[in-house]
Amino acid sequence: MSLFQKFSGNPVLTAAAFPDDIMYVFNPGAVKFNGEYLLMADAATAATPIVFWLARSKDGIHFTPDPAPIQWPGFSDGIPEACIYDPRITEIDGEYLILYASQRPGFGVRTGMVRTRDFIRFDRVEQAETGRNNRNSVLFPEKIRGRYVRFDRPMGDDECEPSDMCISYSDDLSTWSDSQILMVPRPGCWDSHKIGGGAVPIRTPEGWLAVYHGVDRTCNGYIYRLGVMLLDLENPARIIARGGLPVLWPESPYEMLGRVANVTFTCNAIPEPDGTVKIYYGAADTCVGLATARLDDLVAACKTGNPTAERFFKSR
């Protein structure tokens, strides 16, 4: 059993709730907005690889999709996106900034950004071209030393290559600079092949708590798990502690069998007033599960390891 306790009624969102041409829903961004939980899910169709679709819930368990997908804004150069996926939603001063993976002909994979205040109208924040593929960008929920901060996962042309997790800074949300490697894969561990941002970091008295994903390459394919780390509040490029073992991993059929096998992947973490954290995670790139953990336990797992996971792995 992972540190995150999975909801017994999982999955909480499947393609069955959507129109017939939706085959899979997964990897949602998530926020609480106007008394509701909002999931902005990847919705895979037969005609378009993925569109973003909102689903809403009063209790955080029972979700109802909107009648139609989001009308996503285009680019000033008129070149359309071939695919969009994996949105992360950050609220800063009443505005919601959504970072996501954007694929356009001639550009490869880049970080896209749009903004909204009402989840009805979405406006693009144009990003300066870098000439390099990038995804899994996650924006911090406040400026640090007067600058915006985000996680990045730059990569080569082959997405299967090992990848590090980086951190970058901006004055205007469009041009990002002063990038540096934050963390690298650990040989022989559950996050040995690729790592990247997951949830928007949560401010705690002990540092920024960040949930990230790690990929292990096995003889039968990849396994996607979630881990935690703690970053300095004033200098998030400094890692205070990185958990030794994962806090959530595939173990049930809906997480192990699907569009992409053996995947638990999050683009969100919602802190609750009772001291818990909810995540809505993509399972096998097919459906969405819900899991909950205590914030204090996640911080402790960064520093001392995860006793629950240690018992699980030692028993194998």
Side-chain angles (χ1 to χ4, degrees):
M1 182 182 296
S2 60
L3 182 59
F4 272 101
Q5 301 298 302
K6 298 173 184 177
F7 175 56
S8 61
N10 274 346
V12 295
L13 190 64
T14 69
F18 292 75
D20 289 344
D21 63 335
I22 300 299
M23 299 177 291
Y24 315 97
V25 289
F26 54 99
N27 297 1
V31 292
K32 293 174 78 172
F33 176 76
N34 284 353
E36 291 184 312
Y37 293 84
L38 294 187
L39 299 185
M40 181 183 290
D42 294 356
T45 73
T48 303
I50 294 173
V51 295
F52 289 149
W53 205 307
L54 286 173
R56 306 169 188 268
S57 172
K58 291 292 187 182
D59 62 6
I61 297 173
H62 303 92
F63 285 88
T64 301
D66 282 0
I70 295 171
Q71 294 299 303
W72 205 240
F75 286 78
S76 59
D77 61 15
I79 299 175
E81 289 170 309
C83 190
I84 57 177
Y85 51 101
D86 299 355
R88 276 90 173 185
I89 307 170
T90 301
E91 188 270 329
I92 299 180
D93 297 330
E95 183 174 65
Y96 296 85
L97 295 157
I98 302 157
L99 278 64
Y100 68 101
S102 170
Q103 292 183 208
R104 294 198 297 156
F107 289 92
V109 183
R110 301 290 190 268
T111 292
M113 185 186 297
V114 302
R115 61 190 352 143
T116 185
R117 288 186 175 272
D118 55 12
F119 288 92
I120 298 172
R121 176 185 172 88
F122 297 84
D123 297 304
R124 182 157 303 281
V125 182
E126 297 279 357
Q127 300 295 289
E129 176 56 33
T130 63
R132 188 168 186 185
N133 289 331
N134 187 29
R135 58 183 290 193
N136 293 317
S137 295
V138 184
L139 182 66
F140 279 64
E142 61 185 69
K143 289 184 177 180
I144 300 175
R145 296 181 178 177
R147 306 186 77 189
Y148 297 101
V149 185
R150 77 180 188 189
F151 295 137
D152 286 312
R153 216 283 299 284
M155 57 191 184
D157 293 334
D158 183 358
E159 291 197 32
C160 295
E161 293 177 352
S163 300
D164 301 329
M165 185 171 171
C166 298
I167 193 165
S168 303
Y169 302 84
S170 177
D171 297 315
D172 60 4
L173 289 175
S174 293
T175 301
W176 295 85
S177 61
D178 299 320
S179 302
Q180 59 185 288
I181 294 175
L182 174 67
M183 192 166 66
V184 300
R186 295 180 287 197
C189 295
W190 63 273
D191 50 2
S192 62
H193 187 65
K194 295 191 291 186
I195 52 176
V200 174
I202 299 171
R203 173 184 272 274
T204 78
E206 298 189 56
W208 291 107
L209 174 71
V211 180
Y212 72 97
H213 70 269
V215 183
D216 183 22
R217 187 173 188 174
T218 75
C219 61
N220 293 316
Y222 298 106
I223 303 175
Y224 281 72
R225 304 178 177 102
L226 300 181
V228 288
M229 62 178 169
L230 203 60
L231 306 176
D232 187 276
L233 290 174
E234 297 301 319
N235 178 19
R238 185 176 79 85
I239 299 176
I240 296 171
R242 177 180 177 182
L245 289 168
V247 293
L248 187 140
W249 56 83
E251 56 187 335
S252 297
Y254 68 92
E255 300 161 337
M256 301 175 74
L257 301 172
R259 179 173 177 263
V260 181
N262 298 318
V263 173
T264 50
F265 189 94
T266 193
C267 294
N268 65 83
I270 299 177
E272 298 283 25
D274 64 358
T276 62
V277 176
K278 280 189 176 70
I279 62 168
Y280 295 91
Y281 64 96
D285 276 15
T286 298
C287 58
V288 177
L290 165 62
T292 306
R294 291 201 58 79
L295 179 59
D296 290 347
D297 290 343
L298 293 173
V299 171
C302 295
K303 299 180 291 185
T304 61
N306 182 337
T308 303
E310 287 172 4
R311 288 194 297 271
F312 176 88
F313 280 94
K314 288 177 180 177
S315 68
R316 296 285 139 168

